[in-house]
Amino acid sequence: MHGMEMNDTIDALLRQVQRPARYVGGEYNQIVKDKAEVEVRFAFCFPDTYEIGMSNLGMKILYGLINEMPGVWCERVFAPWGDMAERLRAESIPLWALESGDPIGDFDIIAFSLGYEMAYTTVLDMLDLGGIPIHAADRHDLKHLVVAGGQCVCNIEPMADFFDLCFLGEGEEMDVELIELYRTAKREGWTKPAFLRRAAQIGGVYVPSLYDTAYNEDGTVASVTPRDGAPARVRKRIVDDFDGSYYPTAPIVPSTEIVHDRVSLEVFRGCIRGCRFCQAGQICRPVRNRTPETLLEQGRKTLESTGYQELNLSSLSTSDYRGLSDLCDGLLDYCEPRGISLSLPSLRADNFSMDIMSRVQRVRKSGLTFAPEAGTQRMRDVINKNVTEEELLESCRVAFTGGWNGVKLYFMLGLPTETDEDVRGIAELAKKVLWCWKRNAAVKNRGVRITVSTSEFIPKPHTPFQWEAQVTREEYLRRVHVLTDALADARAIVYNWHDAEVSLVEAALARGDRRLGAVIEEVWRQGGRMESWSEYFSLDRWLAAFRTVGLDPAFYALRERPLDELLPWEHMDMGVSRRFLEHERAQAYAGKLSPDCRKACSGCGASSLLKEGVCRG
């Protein structure tokens, strides 16, 4: 079915599903073009719900940027919720794009944003709902080029059978270059293999079919061999001039409530901190800032074009932004008279500023969240979390004195070298925060709420802990019970923990090789989709799929990898050297801290991605 005619079948279908506004488009600031003037149609697919995808800043950036290209039309496609997916299959209606209402089978390039591994089965489901073969080898023509970008591409091997090519790193420049190459190929009638060989020469573009993987008898990777001129290692791309890079000042305003219904200003990319467990902090290096002047202009323009009543400063660690005080003052001069609130997520306990928080909370007071990650100083030194107990308690003291009556504390269980003493240290630290409130609270008659949350550590590629073993689910739950017992006498402290079932699968997918593609496909064929949602995830289904394919999730998730093992993702260069990662792992086991990037350079290698070769964070 083509166009936005919304015939009787679709009208009836929309009346049968939850939140039909997810599927109809027509929002303020959406971009519609004349198809007669369009050479390349680009479907930007987000393998999750409309509410999640429309909150994604990366999608907003690339949607606006691609649509600035003459002759190119980028449209949005989101994964349907279960009720809609069932109706689409029952009525034989293909998945459509929101702007035109055309099925995704009408598009030239079908691009997926992959931010988390549990979206993999949804990618297959969306392709199938669009009537597009899921395997790259079964898509013979140049049309229906299926591509991927996002954080998961740093090890896309488990999905290698399904994607024609992938973007490694930041997509603003790569996407444009690839689309222009595709436009040339389409005009001149290239074959798909010819196009892919040329695409592999674009910096940051990875073509999985041009690499052959061999395995040892023990199941480890023996070699990854490029062919047809593909580079031995694909090096990620970054935006060097971030201050001058594209920012969408007229983004689409959703017609239904989304998760983050606000303007997000990206103040900088990268992170100066170097936490050894954090994949984003490693693969997003080096740090590049936007100036306060640029951010002030972008903020004002976006608020004016959208009518939003909240502005969020976005980064991996917002309180590390130089000039934050001046930026907040400038934004508040605009926001406060108009009743617009300003929020600062990603705050750190070692540079929490009551001066800044008191100013930004004048319109609306938000909650306070810190992530110590570990309960003892020994453990925080292991993970290179440069936050001391004294700094956390001082930040809490300042906040409680300033009127806050609650704080959320995030930790991980199962970190390398963790002992039960470290686990009980989480309880002791939370109790000290509670005692800090009792001594310093400005308003005590409202009570206090201290929330402790734990999740299981997942070893991720391109981090110093990429070689580590994940603890078993049983061991994680044992540590949960140790912490629960240690908190039993603290009624004002609420403890929440994330189940480890998903963590096992996520770890296996994160550190997997190409053989896992068969597992992902089997899970999908048995009904797996939307598995980042607890309503749809099934560990039993995943374990059954592993057995069917003849693989063991423990081999990927629960096994410590020797340093001489060839890792499945080593031909993907994220700018951080293996030598640096090995050094940081040794520092972890020695319990030694490494300085943040502003205090001293640790020689990670990311500066080589910059034209000047010098980090400017």
Side-chain angles (χ1 to χ4, degrees):
M1 298 183 186
H2 294 257
M4 291 302 290
E5 298 124 349
M6 289 298 173
N7 60 27
D8 293 342
T9 301
I10 295 179
D11 284 342
L13 183 152
L14 291 173
R15 286 194 292 270
Q16 297 173 38
V17 299
Q18 303 174 44
R19 306 192 72 167
R22 291 167 166 166
Y23 309 110
V24 297
E27 307 99 321
Y28 184 68
N29 283 342
Q30 77 165 18
I31 297 171
V32 176
K33 296 189 177 184
D34 182 353
K35 282 188 280 189
E37 299 177 358
V38 173
E39 287 184 274
V40 178
R41 300 194 67 181
F42 190 103
F44 198 130
C45 302
F46 198 90
D48 211 320
T49 63
Y50 176 95
E51 297 92 314
I52 302 294
M54 284 298 294
S55 300
N56 184 273
L57 180 58
M59 186 174 203
K60 296 174 185 178
I61 291 171
L62 293 175
Y63 176 86
L65 181 65
I66 294 170
N67 275 317
E68 286 198 345
M69 300 176 67
V72 180
W73 188 11
C74 176
E75 302 184 49
R76 298 160 298 141
V77 185
F78 300 100
W81 194 246
D83 54 353
M84 174 60 94
E86 291 175 6
R87 298 310 307 158
L88 290 178
R89 286 197 165 93
E91 302 291 343
S92 298
I93 299 173
L95 185 64
W96 64 76
L98 295 189
E99 279 72 10
S100 65
D102 292 343
I104 61 174
D106 288 358
F107 287 73
D108 298 297
I109 301 173
I110 301 162
F112 287 87
S113 176
L114 295 177
Y116 34 90
E117 292 84 359
M118 299 314 299
Y120 289 170
T121 54
T122 307
V123 171
L124 305 190
D125 200 58
M126 292 177 72
L127 289 173
D128 185 66
L129 284 169
I132 296 168
I134 64 170
H135 293 102
D138 295 331
R139 300 188 296 267
H140 305 291
D141 299 327
L142 194 57
K143 193 170 185 179
H144 298 161
L145 190 75
V146 180
V147 307
Q151 184 166 320
C152 289
V153 174
C154 72
N155 179 27
I156 199 62
E157 291 302 277
M159 291 289 284
D161 292 342
F162 311 113
F163 287 113
D164 295 304
L165 59 84
C166 305
F167 298 115
L168 201 64
E170 297 166 4
E172 285 98 325
E173 296 173 355
M174 275 188 293
D175 281 25
V176 173
E177 292 173 20
L178 187 282
I179 291 169
E180 289 297 352
L181 182 68
Y182 184 90
R183 194 199 308 251
T184 299
K186 189 176 179 181
R187 285 174 179 171
E188 298 181 1
W190 297 3
T191 64
K192 181 179 177 181
F195 169 78
L196 291 177
R197 288 193 296 269
R198 288 284 297 274
Q201 303 307 313
I202 297 175
V205 172
Y206 174 54
V207 180
S209 62
L210 297 183
Y211 295 79
D212 297 321
T213 302
Y215 300 92
N216 297 309
E217 290 185 4
D218 63 359
T220 58
V221 174
S223 64
V224 177
T225 307
R227 52 185 173 77
D228 295 339
R233 299 190 78 208
V234 180
R235 189 165 172 81
K236 81 167 184 178
R237 290 277 292 277
I238 65 166
V239 176
D240 190 278
D241 178 17
F242 182 54
D243 190 52
S245 66
Y246 177 84
Y247 175 81
T249 55
I252 296 171
V253 180
S255 54
T256 186
E257 185 179 356
I258 63 174
V259 174
H260 298 305
D261 223 355
R262 61 200 183 196
V263 170
S264 287
L265 285 182
E266 192 178 12
V267 296
F268 67 84
R269 285 186 185 170
C271 184
I272 66 171
R273 296 291 178 165
C275 296
R276 292 171 181 138
F277 61 85
C278 180
Q279 187 181 63
Q282 302 290 339
I283 69 172
C284 294
R285 294 182 174 204
V287 171
R288 290 140 293 144
N289 298 305
R290 282 197 171 113
T291 63
E293 295 75 20
T294 297
L295 292 165
L296 286 169
E297 180 182 8
Q298 292 175 346
R300 286 193 293 265
K301 284 184 177 179
T302 312
L303 288 167
E304 288 170 358
S305 72
T306 60
Y308 275 120
Q309 291 298 297
E310 181 179 354
L311 189 150
N312 167 67
L313 298 184
S314 171
S315 75
L316 291 175
S317 182
T318 302
S319 53
D320 284 329
Y321 178 71
R322 287 172 170 164
L324 183 60
S325 295
D326 291 340
L327 173 61
C328 289
D329 284 343
L331 290 170
L332 283 168
D333 287 344
Y334 178 87
C335 293
E336 192 171 4
R338 295 166 176 81
I340 298 170
S341 63
L342 181 63
S343 59
L344 301 177
S346 305
L347 296 175
R348 286 183 57 93
D350 59 344
N351 60 11
F352 176 81
S353 170
M354 192 62 217
D355 177 53
I356 292 176
M357 290 302 293
S358 62
R359 281 182 279 175
V360 303
Q361 302 289 326
R362 289 199 295 259
V363 177
R364 186 181 304 123
K365 196 165 216 158
S366 62
L368 196 59
T369 300
F370 294 120
E373 307 294 359
T376 62
Q377 193 60 51
R378 185 200 74 82
M379 198 68 243
R380 287 191 292 275
D381 290 348
V382 166
I383 64 176
N384 204 42
K385 188 77 178 182
N386 278 281
V387 175
T388 66
E389 179 179 297
E390 292 73 20
E391 288 168 334
L392 174 64
L393 294 177
E394 174 59 16
S395 293
C396 290
R397 184 195 66 78
V398 169
F400 296 148
T401 302
W404 270 264
N405 274 53
V407 63
K408 294 180 181 179
L409 302 172
Y410 285 95
F411 300 89
M412 280 185 288
L413 294 178
L415 286 160
T417 80
E418 183 181 73
T419 66
D420 284 2
E421 181 181 354
D422 297 311
V423 176
R424 285 188 283 267
I426 295 173
E428 294 305 310
L429 185 57
K431 291 175 183 178
K432 289 177 181 177
V433 171
L434 176 59
W435 179 245
C436 179
W437 174 83
K438 291 179 178 178
R439 295 186 61 183
N440 298 286
V443 182
K444 293 186 178 180
N445 58 5
R446 286 188 286 133
V448 65
R449 186 179 180 89
I450 311 295
T451 302
V452 171
S453 296
T454 63
S455 59
E456 184 175 10
F457 162 70
I458 299 173
K460 289 293 183 88
H462 305 285
T463 70
F465 289 160
Q466 64 181 355
W467 294 277
E468 303 301 322
Q470 185 183 48
V471 301
T472 65
R473 179 170 179 261
E474 291 73 22
E475 174 59 20
Y476 170 75
L477 292 176
R478 188 194 69 79
R479 298 185 195 194
V480 166
H481 292 143
V482 169
L483 182 51
T484 301
D485 291 343
L487 288 169
D489 60 346
R491 294 182 180 178
I493 300 175
V494 177
Y495 176 36
N496 302 315
W497 66 89
H498 300 282
D499 200 310
E501 289 189 347
V502 176
S503 299
L504 172 67
V505 176
E506 185 178 338
L509 294 176
R511 300 202 296 173
D513 53 49
R514 293 193 175 193
R515 294 170 299 180
L516 285 188
V519 178
I520 295 166
E521 182 177 345
E522 176 65 16
V523 170
W524 169 69
R525 293 195 181 280
Q526 297 304 318
R529 63 182 306 276
M530 300 289 279
E531 292 187 292
S532 58
W533 296 81
S534 59
E535 297 96 317
Y536 291 102
F537 176 79
S538 167
L539 179 60
D540 289 341
R541 184 164 52 211
W542 278 95
L543 295 179
F546 271 100
R547 288 192 298 270
T548 297
V549 172
L551 295 174
D552 184 356
F555 176 81
Y556 297 99
L558 308 182
R559 178 175 64 91
E560 181 179 346
R561 316 235 175 149
L563 290 178
D564 61 356
E565 179 178 330
L566 180 64
L567 303 174
W569 53 87
E570 289 206 55
H571 56 299
M572 301 176 195
D573 181 357
M574 299 305 294
V576 177
S577 71
R578 181 187 174 104
R579 178 200 57 78
F580 170 76
L581 297 178
E582 289 183 6
H583 170 74
E584 284 298 297
R585 186 183 189 229
Q587 289 283 89
Y589 277 92
K592 294 181 179 179
L593 290 167
S594 295
D596 72 53
C597 297
R598 289 179 183 164
K599 292 180 180 177
C601 178
S602 297
C604 72
S607 62
S608 64
L609 295 164
L610 297 166
K611 292 176 183 177
E612 298 175 0
V614 179
C615 290
R616 302 183 292 271

